[in-house]
Structures are given as C-alpha cells and as structure tokens.
Coordinates of all heavy atoms in Angstrom, one line a residue:
M940 N 11.5 4.2 -7.8 CA 11.2 3.3 -8.8 C 10.1 2.4 -8.4 O 10.0 1.9 -7.2 CB 12.4 2.5 -9.3 CG 13.5 3.3 -9.9 SD 13.1 3.7 -11.6 CE 14.7 4.4 -12.1
V941 N 9.3 2.0 -9.4 CA 8.2 1.0 -9.1 C 8.4 -0.1 -10.1 O 8.6 0.1 -11.3 CB 6.8 1.7 -9.3 CG1 5.7 0.8 -9.3 CG2 6.7 2.8 -8.3
K942 N 8.2 -1.4 -9.6 CA 8.4 -2.5 -10.5 C 7.0 -2.8 -11.3 O 6.0 -2.9 -10.6 CB 8.7 -3.8 -9.7 CG 9.0 -5.0 -10.7 CD 9.3 -6.2 -9.8 CE 9.0 -7.4 -10.6 NZ 8.7 -8.6 -9.8
V943 N 7.2 -2.8 -12.6 CA 6.0 -3.1 -13.4 C 6.3 -4.3 -14.3 O 7.5 -4.3 -14.9 CB 5.6 -1.9 -14.3 CG1 4.4 -2.2 -15.2 CG2 5.2 -0.7 -13.4
T944 N 5.4 -5.2 -14.4 CA 5.6 -6.4 -15.2 C 4.7 -6.3 -16.4 O 3.5 -6.2 -16.3 CB 5.4 -7.7 -14.4 OG1 6.2 -7.8 -13.3 CG2 5.6 -8.9 -15.3
Y945 N 5.3 -6.3 -17.6 CA 4.6 -6.4 -18.9 C 4.8 -7.7 -19.5 O 5.9 -8.3 -19.6 CB 5.3 -5.4 -19.9 CG 5.4 -3.9 -19.4 CD1 6.4 -3.5 -18.6 CD2 4.4 -3.0 -19.6 CE1 6.5 -2.2 -18.1 CE2 4.5 -1.7 -19.2 CZ 5.5 -1.3 -18.5 OH 5.6 0.0 -18.0
I946 N 3.7 -8.4 -19.8 CA 3.7 -9.7 -20.4 C 3.2 -9.6 -21.8 O 2.0 -9.2 -22.1 CB 2.8 -10.7 -19.6 CG1 3.3 -10.7 -18.1 CG2 2.9 -12.1 -20.2 CD1 2.4 -11.5 -17.2
E947 N 4.1 -9.9 -22.8 CA 3.7 -9.9 -24.2 C 2.7 -10.9 -24.5 O 2.5 -11.9 -23.8 CB 5.0 -10.1 -25.1 CG 6.0 -9.0 -25.1 CD 7.1 -9.3 -26.0 OE1 6.8 -9.5 -27.2 OE2 8.2 -9.4 -25.6
H948 N 2.0 -10.8 -25.6 CA 1.0 -11.7 -26.0 C 1.5 -13.1 -26.2 O 0.8 -14.1 -25.9 CB 0.3 -11.3 -27.3 CG -0.8 -12.1 -27.7 ND1 -2.1 -12.0 -27.0 CD2 -1.0 -13.0 -28.7 CE1 -3.0 -12.8 -27.5 NE2 -2.3 -13.4 -28.5
N949 N 2.8 -13.2 -26.5 CA 3.5 -14.6 -26.7 C 3.9 -15.1 -25.4 O 4.6 -16.2 -25.3 CB 4.6 -14.4 -27.7 CG 5.7 -13.6 -27.2 OD1 5.8 -13.2 -26.0 ND2 6.7 -13.2 -28.1
G950 N 3.7 -14.4 -24.3 CA 4.1 -14.9 -22.9 C 5.4 -14.4 -22.4 O 5.8 -14.7 -21.2
R951 N 6.2 -13.7 -23.2 CA 7.5 -13.2 -22.8 C 7.3 -12.1 -21.7 O 6.5 -11.2 -21.9 CB 8.2 -12.6 -24.0 CG 9.7 -12.3 -23.7 CD 10.5 -12.2 -24.9 NE 11.7 -11.5 -24.6 CZ 12.3 -10.6 -25.4 NH1 11.7 -10.2 -26.4 NH2 13.4 -10.1 -25.0
V952 N 8.0 -12.2 -20.6 CA 7.8 -11.4 -19.4 C 8.9 -10.4 -19.4 O 10.1 -10.7 -19.6 CB 7.8 -12.2 -18.2 CG1 7.7 -11.4 -16.9 CG2 6.6 -13.2 -18.2
H953 N 8.5 -9.1 -19.1 CA 9.5 -8.0 -18.9 C 9.2 -7.3 -17.6 O 8.2 -6.7 -17.4 CB 9.4 -7.0 -20.0 CG 9.5 -7.5 -21.4 ND1 10.6 -7.4 -22.1 CD2 8.6 -8.0 -22.3 CE1 10.5 -7.9 -23.3 NE2 9.2 -8.3 -23.4
D954 N 10.2 -7.4 -16.7 CA 10.1 -6.8 -15.4 C 10.9 -5.5 -15.6 O 12.1 -5.5 -15.8 CB 10.7 -7.6 -14.3 CG 9.8 -8.8 -14.0 OD1 8.6 -8.7 -14.0 OD2 10.4 -9.9 -13.7
V955 N 10.3 -4.4 -15.3 CA 10.9 -3.1 -15.5 C 10.8 -2.2 -14.3 O 9.7 -2.2 -13.6 CB 10.2 -2.4 -16.8 CG1 10.6 -1.0 -16.9 CG2 10.5 -3.2 -18.0
D956 N 11.8 -1.4 -14.0 CA 11.7 -0.4 -13.0 C 11.3 0.9 -13.6 O 12.0 1.5 -14.5 CB 13.1 -0.2 -12.3 CG 13.4 -1.4 -11.4 OD1 12.5 -2.0 -10.8 OD2 14.6 -1.7 -11.3
V957 N 10.1 1.4 -13.3 CA 9.5 2.6 -13.8 C 9.6 3.7 -12.8 O 9.2 3.6 -11.7 CB 8.1 2.4 -14.2 CG1 7.5 3.6 -14.9 CG2 8.0 1.2 -15.2
P958 N 10.1 4.9 -13.2 CA 10.3 6.0 -12.2 C 8.9 6.5 -11.8 O 8.0 6.6 -12.5 CB 11.1 7.1 -13.1 CG 11.7 6.4 -14.2 CD 10.7 5.2 -14.5
H959 N 8.9 6.9 -10.5 CA 7.7 7.6 -10.0 C 7.4 8.8 -10.9 O 8.2 9.5 -11.3 CB 7.9 8.1 -8.6 CG 7.9 7.0 -7.6 ND1 8.9 7.1 -6.5 CD2 7.2 6.0 -7.4 CE1 8.7 6.0 -5.7 NE2 7.6 5.3 -6.3
G960 N 6.1 9.0 -11.0 CA 5.6 10.2 -11.8 C 5.5 10.1 -13.3 O 5.0 10.9 -14.0
T961 N 6.1 9.0 -13.8 CA 6.0 8.7 -15.3 C 4.8 7.8 -15.4 O 4.2 7.3 -14.5 CB 7.3 8.1 -15.8 OG1 7.5 6.8 -15.2 CG2 8.5 9.0 -15.6
T962 N 4.5 7.5 -16.7 CA 3.3 6.7 -16.9 C 3.7 5.2 -17.2 O 4.9 5.0 -17.6 CB 2.4 7.2 -18.0 OG1 3.2 7.1 -19.3 CG2 2.0 8.6 -17.8
V963 N 2.8 4.3 -17.1 CA 3.1 3.0 -17.5 C 3.4 2.8 -19.0 O 4.3 2.0 -19.3 CB 1.8 2.1 -17.1 CG1 2.0 0.7 -17.6 CG2 1.6 2.1 -15.6
M964 N 2.9 3.6 -19.8 CA 3.3 3.7 -21.2 C 4.7 4.1 -21.4 O 5.5 3.5 -22.1 CB 2.3 4.6 -22.0 CG 2.7 4.8 -23.5 SD 4.1 6.0 -23.8 CE 3.2 7.6 -23.7
E965 N 5.1 5.1 -20.7 CA 6.5 5.6 -20.8 C 7.5 4.6 -20.3 O 8.5 4.4 -20.8 CB 6.7 6.9 -20.0 CG 5.9 8.1 -20.7 CD 5.8 9.4 -19.8 OE1 5.7 9.2 -18.5 OE2 5.8 10.4 -20.3
G966 N 7.1 3.8 -19.3 CA 8.0 2.8 -18.7 C 8.2 1.7 -19.8 O 9.3 1.2 -20.0
A967 N 7.1 1.4 -20.6 CA 7.3 0.4 -21.7 C 8.1 1.0 -22.9 O 9.0 0.4 -23.3 CB 5.9 0.0 -22.2
R968 N 7.7 2.2 -23.2 CA 8.4 2.8 -24.4 C 9.9 3.0 -24.1 O 10.8 2.7 -24.9 CB 7.8 4.2 -24.6 CG 8.4 5.0 -25.8 CD 8.0 6.4 -25.7 NE 8.5 7.1 -24.5 CZ 8.1 8.2 -24.1 NH1 7.2 8.9 -24.7 NH2 8.7 8.7 -23.0
D969 N 10.2 3.5 -22.9 CA 11.7 3.7 -22.5 C 12.5 2.5 -22.4 O 13.7 2.6 -22.4 CB 11.7 4.6 -21.3 CG 11.1 6.0 -21.5 OD1 10.8 6.3 -22.7 OD2 10.8 6.7 -20.5
H970 N 11.8 1.4 -22.3 CA 12.6 0.1 -22.1 C 12.4 -0.7 -23.4 O 12.8 -2.0 -23.4 CB 12.2 -0.7 -20.9 CG 12.6 0.0 -19.6 ND1 11.9 1.0 -19.0 CD2 13.8 -0.2 -18.9 CE1 12.6 1.5 -18.0 NE2 13.7 0.7 -17.8
G971 N 11.8 -0.2 -24.4 CA 11.7 -0.9 -25.7 C 10.8 -2.2 -25.6 O 11.1 -3.2 -26.3
I972 N 9.8 -2.1 -24.8 CA 8.9 -3.3 -24.7 C 8.0 -3.4 -25.9 O 7.3 -2.5 -26.3 CB 7.9 -3.2 -23.5 CG1 8.7 -2.8 -22.1 CG2 7.1 -4.4 -23.3 CD1 9.7 -3.9 -21.7
P973 N 8.1 -4.5 -26.7 CA 7.3 -4.7 -27.9 C 5.8 -4.7 -27.5 O 5.4 -5.3 -26.5 CB 7.7 -6.0 -28.4 CG 9.0 -6.4 -27.7 CD 9.0 -5.7 -26.4
G974 N 5.0 -4.2 -28.3 CA 3.5 -4.2 -28.1 C 2.9 -3.0 -27.6 O 1.6 -2.9 -27.6
I975 N 3.7 -2.0 -27.2 CA 3.1 -0.7 -26.8 C 3.6 0.3 -27.8 O 4.8 0.5 -27.9 CB 3.5 -0.3 -25.4 CG1 3.0 -1.2 -24.3 CG2 3.1 1.2 -25.2 CD1 1.5 -1.0 -24.0
E976 N 2.7 0.8 -28.6 CA 3.2 1.7 -29.7 C 3.1 3.2 -29.4 O 4.0 3.9 -29.7 CB 2.3 1.4 -31.0 CG 2.6 0.0 -31.5 CD 1.6 -0.4 -32.6 OE1 0.8 0.4 -33.1 OE2 1.6 -1.6 -33.0
A977 N 2.1 3.6 -28.7 CA 2.0 4.9 -28.2 C 2.1 6.0 -29.3 O 3.0 6.9 -29.1 CB 2.9 5.1 -27.0
D978 N 1.4 5.9 -30.3 CA 1.6 6.7 -31.5 C 1.3 8.2 -31.1 O 2.0 9.1 -31.8 CB 0.6 6.3 -32.6 CG 1.0 5.0 -33.2 OD1 2.2 4.6 -33.1 OD2 0.1 4.4 -33.9
C979 N 0.5 8.5 -30.2 CA 0.2 9.9 -30.0 C 1.1 10.5 -28.8 O 1.0 11.7 -28.5 CB -1.3 10.2 -29.6 SG -1.7 9.6 -27.9
G980 N 2.0 9.7 -28.3 CA 3.0 10.1 -27.3 C 2.4 10.4 -25.9 O 3.0 11.0 -25.1
G981 N 1.2 9.9 -25.7 CA 0.6 9.9 -24.4 C -0.6 11.0 -24.2 O -1.0 11.4 -23.1
A982 N -1.0 11.5 -25.4 CA -2.1 12.5 -25.4 C -3.5 11.9 -25.3 O -4.5 12.6 -25.4 CB -2.0 13.3 -26.6
C983 N -3.6 10.6 -25.1 CA -4.9 9.9 -25.0 C -5.7 10.1 -26.3 O -6.9 10.4 -26.3 CB -5.7 10.4 -23.8 SG -7.1 9.2 -23.3
S984 N -5.0 10.0 -27.4 CA -5.8 10.2 -28.7 C -5.4 9.1 -29.8 O -5.6 9.4 -30.9 CB -5.5 11.6 -29.2 OG -4.1 11.8 -29.4
C985 N -4.8 8.0 -29.3 CA -4.5 7.0 -30.4 C -5.0 5.6 -30.0 O -5.2 4.8 -30.8 CB -3.0 7.0 -30.7 SG -2.0 6.3 -29.4
A986 N -5.1 5.3 -28.7 CA -5.4 4.0 -28.3 C -4.4 2.8 -28.6 O -4.7 1.7 -28.5 CB -6.8 3.6 -28.7
T987 N -3.2 3.2 -29.0 CA -2.2 2.2 -29.2 C -1.2 1.9 -28.1 O -0.2 1.4 -28.2 CB -1.3 2.6 -30.4 OG1 -0.6 3.8 -30.2 CG2 -2.2 2.7 -31.7
C988 N -1.7 2.3 -26.9 CA -1.0 1.9 -25.6 C -1.8 1.0 -24.8 O -1.6 0.9 -23.6 CB -0.5 3.2 -24.9 SG -2.0 4.1 -24.3
H989 N -2.7 0.4 -25.5 CA -3.7 -0.5 -24.7 C -3.0 -1.7 -24.1 O -2.2 -2.3 -24.7 CB -4.8 -1.0 -25.8 CG -5.7 -2.0 -25.3 ND1 -6.0 -3.1 -26.0 CD2 -6.3 -2.1 -24.1 CE1 -6.9 -3.9 -25.3 NE2 -7.0 -3.3 -24.1
A990 N -3.4 -2.0 -22.9 CA -3.0 -3.2 -22.2 C -4.1 -3.7 -21.3 O -5.0 -3.0 -20.9 CB -1.8 -2.9 -21.4
L991 N -4.0 -4.9 -20.9 CA -5.0 -5.6 -20.1 C -4.4 -5.8 -18.6 O -3.4 -6.4 -18.5 CB -5.4 -6.9 -20.6 CG -6.0 -6.8 -22.0 CD1 -5.8 -8.0 -22.9 CD2 -7.6 -6.5 -21.8
V992 N -5.0 -5.2 -17.7 CA -4.5 -5.2 -16.3 C -4.8 -6.6 -15.7 O -6.0 -7.0 -15.9 CB -5.1 -4.1 -15.5 CG1 -4.7 -4.1 -14.0 CG2 -4.7 -2.7 -16.1
E993 N -3.9 -7.1 -15.0 CA -4.3 -8.4 -14.3 C -5.4 -8.1 -13.3 O -5.5 -7.1 -12.6 CB -3.0 -8.9 -13.5 CG -2.0 -9.6 -14.4 CD -2.4 -10.8 -15.0 OE1 -2.2 -11.9 -14.4 OE2 -3.0 -10.9 -16.1
Q994 N -6.3 -9.1 -13.2 CA -7.5 -9.0 -12.4 C -7.3 -8.4 -11.0 O -8.0 -7.5 -10.6 CB -8.1 -10.4 -12.2 CG -9.6 -10.4 -11.8 CD -10.5 -10.1 -13.0 OE1 -10.2 -10.4 -14.1 NE2 -11.6 -9.4 -12.6
S995 N -6.2 -8.8 -10.4 CA -6.0 -8.4 -9.0 C -5.6 -6.9 -8.8 O -5.7 -6.4 -7.8 CB -4.9 -9.3 -8.3 OG -3.7 -9.1 -9.0
W996 N -5.3 -6.3 -10.0 CA -4.9 -4.9 -9.9 C -6.0 -3.9 -10.3 O -5.8 -2.7 -10.2 CB -3.7 -4.7 -10.9 CG -2.4 -5.1 -10.2 CD1 -1.8 -6.4 -10.3 CD2 -1.7 -4.4 -9.2 NE1 -0.7 -6.4 -9.4 CE2 -0.6 -5.2 -8.8 CE3 -1.8 -3.0 -8.7 CZ2 0.4 -4.8 -7.9 CZ3 -0.8 -2.7 -7.8 CH2 0.2 -3.5 -7.4
I997 N -7.1 -4.4 -10.8 CA -8.1 -3.5 -11.4 C -8.6 -2.5 -10.4 O -8.6 -1.3 -10.7 CB -9.3 -4.4 -11.9 CG1 -8.9 -5.2 -13.1 CG2 -10.5 -3.4 -12.2 CD1 -10.0 -6.3 -13.5
A998 N -8.9 -2.9 -9.2 CA -9.4 -2.0 -8.2 C -8.4 -1.1 -7.6 O -8.7 -0.1 -7.0 CB -10.1 -2.8 -7.1
K999 N -7.1 -1.4 -7.8 CA -6.0 -0.6 -7.3 C -5.6 0.6 -8.1 O -5.0 1.5 -7.7 CB -4.8 -1.4 -7.0 CG -5.1 -2.5 -5.9 CD -3.9 -3.4 -5.8 CE -4.3 -4.6 -5.0 NZ -3.2 -5.6 -5.0
L1000 N -6.2 0.6 -9.4 CA -5.8 1.7 -10.3 C -6.8 2.8 -10.2 O -7.9 2.6 -9.8 CB -5.8 1.1 -11.7 CG -4.8 0.1 -12.1 CD1 -5.0 -0.4 -13.5 CD2 -3.4 0.6 -11.9
P1001 N -6.3 4.0 -10.6 CA -7.2 5.1 -10.6 C -8.3 4.9 -11.6 O -8.1 4.2 -12.6 CB -6.4 6.3 -11.0 CG -5.1 5.8 -11.5 CD -4.9 4.4 -11.0
A1002 N -9.5 5.4 -11.4 CA -10.6 5.2 -12.2 C -10.3 5.8 -13.6 O -9.6 6.8 -13.8 CB -11.9 5.8 -11.7
K1003 N -11.0 5.2 -14.7 CA -10.8 5.7 -16.0 C -11.6 7.1 -16.1 O -12.7 7.2 -15.7 CB -11.5 4.7 -17.0 CG -10.7 3.4 -17.2 CD -11.5 2.6 -18.1 CE -11.2 1.1 -17.8 NZ -12.2 0.2 -18.3
Q1004 N -10.9 8.0 -16.8 CA -11.6 9.3 -17.1 C -12.4 9.1 -18.4 O -12.1 8.2 -19.2 CB -10.6 10.4 -17.2 CG -9.8 10.7 -15.9 CD -10.8 11.1 -14.8 OE1 -11.5 12.0 -15.0 NE2 -10.7 10.4 -13.7
P1005 N -13.4 9.9 -18.6 CA -14.3 9.8 -19.8 C -13.4 9.7 -21.1 O -13.8 8.9 -22.0 CB -15.2 11.0 -19.7 CG -15.2 11.3 -18.3 CD -13.9 11.0 -17.8
M1006 N -12.4 10.5 -21.2 CA -11.6 10.5 -22.4 C -10.9 9.2 -22.7 O -10.9 8.6 -23.8 CB -10.6 11.6 -22.4 CG -10.0 11.9 -23.7 SD -9.2 13.5 -23.8 CE -7.7 13.2 -23.0
E1007 N -10.4 8.6 -21.6 CA -9.8 7.2 -21.8 C -10.8 6.2 -22.1 O -10.7 5.4 -23.0 CB -9.1 6.8 -20.5 CG -8.5 5.4 -20.6 CD -7.9 4.9 -19.2 OE1 -7.9 5.7 -18.3 OE2 -7.4 3.8 -19.2
Q1008 N -12.0 6.2 -21.5 CA -13.1 5.3 -21.8 C -13.5 5.4 -23.3 O -13.6 4.4 -23.9 CB -14.3 5.6 -20.9 CG -15.4 4.6 -21.0 CD -14.9 3.2 -20.5 OE1 -14.6 3.0 -19.3 NE2 -14.9 2.2 -21.4
D1009 N -13.6 6.7 -23.8 CA -14.0 6.8 -25.1 C -13.0 6.3 -26.1 O -13.2 5.7 -27.1 CB -14.2 8.4 -25.5 CG -15.5 8.9 -24.8 OD1 -16.3 8.1 -24.3 OD2 -15.6 10.1 -24.7
M1010 N -11.7 6.6 -25.8 CA -10.6 6.1 -26.7 C -10.5 4.6 -26.7 O -10.1 4.0 -27.7 CB -9.3 6.7 -26.3 CG -9.0 8.1 -26.8 SD -9.4 8.4 -28.5 CE -8.2 7.3 -29.3
L1011 N -10.8 3.9 -25.6 CA -10.8 2.5 -25.6 C -11.7 1.8 -26.6 O -11.5 0.7 -27.0 CB -11.1 2.0 -24.2 CG -9.9 2.0 -23.2 CD1 -10.4 1.7 -21.8 CD2 -8.8 0.9 -23.6
D1012 N -12.7 2.6 -27.1 CA -13.5 2.0 -28.2 C -12.8 1.8 -29.4 O -13.2 1.0 -30.3 CB -14.7 3.1 -28.5 CG -15.7 3.2 -27.3 OD1 -15.7 2.3 -26.5 OD2 -16.4 4.1 -27.4
F1013 N -11.6 2.4 -29.6 CA -10.8 2.2 -30.8 C -9.7 1.2 -30.6 O -9.0 0.9 -31.6 CB -10.2 3.5 -31.2 CG -11.2 4.6 -31.5 CD1 -11.6 5.5 -30.6 CD2 -11.8 4.6 -32.8 CE1 -12.6 6.5 -30.9 CE2 -12.7 5.6 -33.1 CZ -13.1 6.5 -32.2
A1014 N -9.6 0.6 -29.5 CA -8.6 -0.4 -29.1 C -9.0 -1.7 -29.6 O -10.2 -2.0 -29.8 CB -8.2 -0.4 -27.7
Y1015 N -8.0 -2.6 -29.8 CA -8.3 -4.0 -30.4 C -8.6 -4.9 -29.2 O -7.8 -5.1 -28.3 CB -7.0 -4.4 -31.1 CG -7.1 -5.8 -31.7 CD1 -8.0 -6.1 -32.8 CD2 -6.3 -6.8 -31.2 CE1 -8.0 -7.4 -33.3 CE2 -6.4 -8.1 -31.7 CZ -7.2 -8.4 -32.8 OH -7.3 -9.7 -33.3
Q1016 N -9.7 -5.7 -29.4 CA -10.1 -6.7 -28.4 C -9.9 -6.3 -27.0 O -9.1 -6.8 -26.2 CB -9.2 -8.0 -28.6 CG -9.6 -8.8 -29.9 CD -8.9 -10.1 -30.0 OE1 -7.9 -10.3 -29.4 NE2 -9.5 -10.9 -30.8
T1017 N -10.8 -5.4 -26.6 CA -10.8 -4.8 -25.2 C -11.6 -5.7 -24.3 O -12.5 -6.5 -24.7 CB -11.3 -3.4 -25.2 OG1 -12.6 -3.4 -25.8 CG2 -10.4 -2.4 -25.9
D1018 N -11.3 -5.6 -23.0 CA -12.1 -6.2 -22.0 C -12.7 -5.1 -21.1 O -11.9 -4.2 -20.7 CB -11.2 -7.1 -21.2 CG -11.9 -7.8 -20.0 OD1 -12.2 -7.0 -19.0 OD2 -12.2 -8.9 -20.1
P1019 N -14.0 -5.1 -20.9 CA -14.5 -3.9 -20.1 C -13.9 -3.7 -18.8 O -13.8 -2.5 -18.4 CB -16.0 -4.3 -20.0 CG -16.3 -5.4 -21.0 CD -14.9 -6.0 -21.3
A1020 N -13.5 -4.7 -18.1 CA -12.9 -4.5 -16.8 C -11.4 -4.3 -16.8 O -10.9 -3.5 -16.0 CB -13.3 -5.7 -15.9
R1021 N -10.8 -5.0 -17.7 CA -9.3 -5.1 -17.6 C -8.5 -4.1 -18.5 O -7.4 -3.8 -18.3 CB -8.8 -6.5 -17.8 CG -9.3 -7.5 -16.8 CD -8.9 -8.9 -17.2 NE -7.4 -9.0 -17.4 CZ -6.8 -9.8 -18.3 NH1 -7.5 -10.5 -19.1 NH2 -5.5 -9.8 -18.4
S1022 N -9.2 -3.6 -19.5 CA -8.5 -2.8 -20.5 C -8.2 -1.4 -20.0 O -9.2 -0.8 -19.4 CB -9.4 -2.7 -21.8 OG -9.3 -3.9 -22.5
R1023 N -7.0 -0.9 -20.3 CA -6.6 0.5 -19.9 C -5.7 1.0 -20.9 O -5.0 0.2 -21.7 CB -5.9 0.5 -18.5 CG -6.7 0.1 -17.3 CD -7.9 0.9 -17.0 NE -7.6 2.4 -16.9 CZ -7.5 2.9 -15.6 NH1 -7.8 2.3 -14.5 NH2 -7.3 4.3 -15.6
L1024 N -5.7 2.3 -21.0 CA -4.7 3.0 -21.9 C -3.5 3.3 -20.9 O -3.7 4.1 -20.0 CB -5.2 4.2 -22.5 CG -6.3 4.0 -23.5 CD1 -6.8 5.3 -24.1 CD2 -5.9 3.0 -24.6
T1025 N -2.3 2.8 -21.2 CA -1.3 2.8 -20.3 C -0.8 4.3 -20.1 O -0.1 4.5 -19.1 CB -0.2 1.9 -20.6 OG1 0.2 2.1 -22.0 CG2 -0.6 0.4 -20.4
C1026 N -0.9 5.1 -21.1 CA -0.5 6.5 -21.0 C -1.3 7.2 -19.9 O -0.9 8.4 -19.5 CB -0.5 7.2 -22.3 SG -2.2 7.6 -22.9
Q1027 N -2.4 6.7 -19.4 CA -3.3 7.4 -18.5 C -3.1 6.8 -17.1 O -3.8 7.2 -16.2 CB -4.8 7.2 -18.9 CG -5.1 7.8 -20.3 CD -4.7 9.3 -20.4 OE1 -5.2 10.1 -19.6 NE2 -3.7 9.6 -21.2
I1028 N -2.1 6.0 -16.9 CA -1.8 5.4 -15.6 C -0.5 5.9 -15.1 O 0.6 5.6 -15.6 CB -1.8 3.9 -15.6 CG1 -3.1 3.4 -16.1 CG2 -1.5 3.4 -14.2 CD1 -3.1 1.8 -16.3
R1029 N -0.5 6.9 -14.2 CA 0.8 7.5 -13.7 C 1.2 6.6 -12.5 O 0.5 6.2 -11.6 CB 0.5 8.9 -13.3 CG 1.8 9.7 -13.2 CD 1.6 11.2 -13.2 NE 1.2 11.7 -14.6 CZ 2.0 11.8 -15.6 NH1 3.3 11.6 -15.5 NH2 1.5 12.2 -16.8
V1030 N 2.5 6.3 -12.5 CA 3.1 5.4 -11.5 C 3.4 6.1 -10.2 O 3.9 7.2 -10.1 CB 4.4 4.8 -12.1 CG1 5.2 4.1 -11.1 CG2 4.2 4.0 -13.3
N1031 N 3.0 5.4 -9.1 CA 3.3 5.8 -7.8 C 3.6 4.5 -7.0 O 3.4 3.4 -7.5 CB 2.3 6.7 -7.2 CG 0.9 6.1 -7.0 OD1 0.9 4.9 -6.6 ND2 -0.1 6.8 -7.4
E1032 N 4.0 4.7 -5.7 CA 4.3 3.5 -4.9 C 3.2 2.6 -4.7 O 3.4 1.3 -4.5 CB 4.9 4.0 -3.5 CG 4.0 4.8 -2.7 CD 3.8 6.2 -3.1 OE1 4.7 6.8 -3.9 OE2 3.0 6.9 -2.6
T1033 N 1.9 3.0 -4.8 CA 0.9 2.0 -4.7 C 0.7 1.0 -5.8 O 0.1 0.0 -5.7 CB -0.5 2.7 -4.5 OG1 -0.8 3.4 -5.7 CG2 -0.5 3.7 -3.4
L1034 N 1.4 1.3 -6.9 CA 1.4 0.5 -8.1 C 2.6 -0.5 -8.2 O 2.8 -1.1 -9.2 CB 1.3 1.3 -9.3 CG 0.0 2.1 -9.5 CD1 -0.1 2.8 -10.8 CD2 -1.2 1.4 -9.1
D1035 N 3.4 -0.5 -7.1 CA 4.6 -1.4 -7.2 C 4.2 -2.8 -7.3 O 3.4 -3.4 -6.5 CB 5.4 -1.2 -5.8 CG 6.7 -1.9 -6.0 OD1 7.3 -1.9 -7.1 OD2 7.2 -2.4 -4.9
G1036 N 4.6 -3.5 -8.3 CA 4.2 -4.9 -8.6 C 3.2 -5.0 -9.6 O 2.7 -6.1 -9.9
L1037 N 2.7 -3.9 -10.2 CA 1.6 -4.0 -11.3 C 2.0 -4.9 -12.4 O 3.1 -4.9 -12.9 CB 1.5 -2.5 -11.8 CG 0.4 -2.4 -12.9 CD1 -1.0 -2.7 -12.5 CD2 0.5 -0.9 -13.5
V1038 N 1.0 -5.7 -12.8 CA 1.2 -6.7 -13.9 C 0.2 -6.4 -15.0 O -1.0 -6.2 -14.7 CB 1.0 -8.1 -13.4 CG1 1.2 -9.1 -14.6 CG2 1.9 -8.4 -12.3
L1039 N 0.7 -6.3 -16.2 CA -0.2 -6.0 -17.4 C 0.1 -7.0 -18.5 O 1.2 -7.4 -18.6 CB 0.0 -4.6 -17.9 CG -0.1 -3.4 -17.0 CD1 1.3 -2.9 -16.7 CD2 -1.0 -2.3 -17.6
R1040 N -0.9 -7.4 -19.2 CA -0.7 -8.2 -20.4 C -1.0 -7.3 -21.6 O -1.9 -6.6 -21.7 CB -1.7 -9.4 -20.4 CG -1.3 -10.3 -19.3 CD -2.2 -11.6 -19.3 NE -1.7 -12.5 -18.3 CZ -0.8 -13.5 -18.4 NH1 -0.2 -13.6 -19.5 NH2 -0.5 -14.2 -17.4
L1041 N -0.1 -7.5 -22.6 CA -0.2 -6.7 -23.8 C -1.0 -7.5 -24.9 O -0.9 -8.7 -25.0 CB 1.1 -6.4 -24.4 CG 2.2 -5.8 -23.4 CD1 3.5 -5.5 -23.9 CD2 1.6 -4.5 -22.8
P1042 N -1.8 -6.7 -25.7 CA -2.7 -7.4 -26.6 C -1.9 -8.0 -27.8 O -0.7 -7.6 -28.0 CB -3.6 -6.3 -27.0 CG -2.9 -5.0 -26.8 CD -1.9 -5.3 -25.6
E1043 N -2.6 -8.9 -28.5 CA -2.0 -9.4 -29.7 C -1.5 -8.4 -30.7 O -0.5 -8.5 -31.3 CB -3.0 -10.3 -30.4 CG -2.5 -11.1 -31.6 CD -3.4 -12.0 -32.2 OE1 -4.6 -12.1 -31.7 OE2 -3.1 -12.8 -33.1
R1044 N -2.3 -7.3 -30.8 CA -1.8 -6.2 -31.6 C -2.6 -5.0 -31.1 O -3.5 -5.0 -30.4 CB -2.1 -6.4 -33.1 CG -3.6 -6.5 -33.5 CD -3.8 -6.6 -35.0 NE -5.1 -6.9 -35.4 CZ -6.0 -5.9 -35.6 NH1 -5.8 -4.7 -35.4 NH2 -7.2 -6.3 -36.0
Q1045 N -2.0 -3.7 -31.5 CA -2.7 -2.6 -31.1 C -3.8 -2.2 -32.2 O -3.9 -2.9 -33.2 CB -1.7 -1.4 -30.9 CG -0.8 -1.6 -29.7 CD -1.5 -1.5 -28.4 OE1 -2.6 -1.0 -28.3 NE2 -0.8 -2.0 -27.3
A1046 N -4.5 -1.1 -32.0 CA -5.6 -0.7 -32.9 C -5.1 -0.5 -34.3 O -3.9 -0.3 -34.6 CB -6.2 0.6 -32.4
Ligands
FES2478 FE1 -1.9 7.4 -27.4 FE2 -2.0 6.4 -25.0 S1 -0.3 6.8 -26.1 S2 -3.7 7.0 -26.2

C-alpha cells in the first residue's frame, strides 16, 4: 500500500492507502473521495479525473504521455506544471506520500 493524500477544493483532507499497481484515480474512486468523477473509467478519454499535484511531487511522477497531455486541454482550470489525469498515474512505492489537490469542479 502507498499513502496518497487527496485535498478537496474546500480543504478537506483524505489520507488513503492505495494498493500498488492501481492508479491514483482508482484510489480516489474506491474510497469515495469527492471531486474525482472518472467518467471514462480510466481510459484517458474524459478528463474528469483531473487533479493538481503538489509542487514537490511534480518531478517524481512519470512524464505525461501525449494522450494525457491532449486530454488535459478539456479539463477545468489546469496548471501546465501541476495538472495530471489521475488515471494515468500508477501507484508504486516511489509515490508513497503523494499529495494532490482536487479542482473546484471537473470538466
Ligand atoms: Fe477518464 Fe481519467 S478517468 S481521463
């Protein structure tokens, strides 16, 4: 398990244990975290799993693939450096302690 912290737009904090090999989106969905909708179920085709990664974690995440980058154009209030689609981040031990902020709303 890897600890991931999801912070809602209203500041409410959720610390969740996410299993290795699953995605950050699945960790939120499976724990009922408000703010991640994931309408496409993780197929990188909806942009409703958008979250903003805390600054200190940006460089530790795998690089965005072109499909994720393209889909982020449809997300609400993105930040070029911090925005990610959480279905595209697979959890492993290097991400233990990851912190993300959820947007005010999804696309
Ligand atoms: Fe649809 Fe991530 S769940 S793009």
